Amino acid sequence: MIPKVIEGGNFSDHRGTISYVNDFSFEDIERFYIISNSEENPVRAWQGHKLDAKNFYCINGSFNIHFVKIDNWEKPSKNLKIETIRVSASESKVVHVPAGYANAIESLEKDSKLISFSTLPLANVKEDDARYSADYWKING
């Protein structure tokens, strides 16, 4: 499986706005987190998942979701291609990053917030996580 964007939309009328992503399924979701990076450290990087798929939805501001396909969990190549998808609160879309990838979350605006939906039960997280230094792969931008 490869990362993908699940598009949604917005509906506005005199009552306000509803944002939706009707094609996103919660079937395999086990838990969720809301991420707010600090202004001093706008990049939260790099965390890999052998088993856990991540789904990201921006609820305020904007983010770049960076990810790499891991080739070797113990010592991945430093030359892996970084792919990036931008998300913002004004767009309604979910970025799905399947198991087998490492990701980095970059805030692009002050007070940005991102929901991360995870597919792995909390009891299994310790055996799944692979963390790499923030500069392991260089984010351009």
Side-chain angles (χ1 to χ4, degrees):
M1 183 173 257
I2 61 172
K4 65 180 179 180
V5 174
I6 306 165
E7 295 288 347
N10 298 300
F11 172 80
S12 297
D13 66 12
H14 67 282
R15 298 168 292 175
T17 301
I18 296 174
S19 298
Y20 57 88
V21 184
N22 290 339
D23 292 331
F24 177 66
S25 172
F26 285 87
E27 183 178 345
D28 296 323
I29 302 302
E30 291 284 334
R31 56 200 162 80
F32 77 92
Y33 300 94
I34 297 176
I35 300 167
S36 299
N37 292 345
S38 70
E39 285 185 68
E40 298 79 29
N41 297 292
V43 178
R44 183 181 301 259
W46 285 94
Q47 187 171 356
H49 303 282
K50 301 172 193 172
L51 307 170
D52 194 6
K54 297 291 184 183
N55 298 278
F56 299 105
Y57 183 83
C58 184
I59 56 175
N60 198 56
S62 60
F63 289 84
N64 278 334
I65 311 297
H66 307 283
F67 47 92
V68 294
K69 174 76 170 137
I70 300 297
D71 59 349
N72 178 318
W73 289 100
E74 286 72 43
K75 190 170 169 62
S77 169
K78 291 199 173 218
N79 296 322
L80 297 177
K81 180 183 177 194
I82 298 173
E83 297 184 65
T84 302
I85 297 175
R86 186 178 188 277
V87 295
S88 72
S90 64
E91 304 169 315
S92 192
K93 63 184 176 186
V94 171
V95 174
H96 173 78
V97 180
Y101 285 78
N103 65 67
I105 308 304
E106 179 184 11
S107 303
L108 301 175
E109 300 174 47
K110 182 180 177 186
D111 298 324
S112 292
K113 291 185 185 213
L114 188 73
I115 297 179
S116 172
F117 298 100
S118 298
T119 61
L120 194 67
L122 193 57
N124 302 95
V125 167
K126 198 170 197 174
E127 64 198 47
D128 180 58
D129 270 358
R131 295 183 186 250
Y132 307 99
S133 65
D135 63 349
Y136 198 88
W137 295 282
K138 304 281 190 242
I139 298 170
N140 297 326

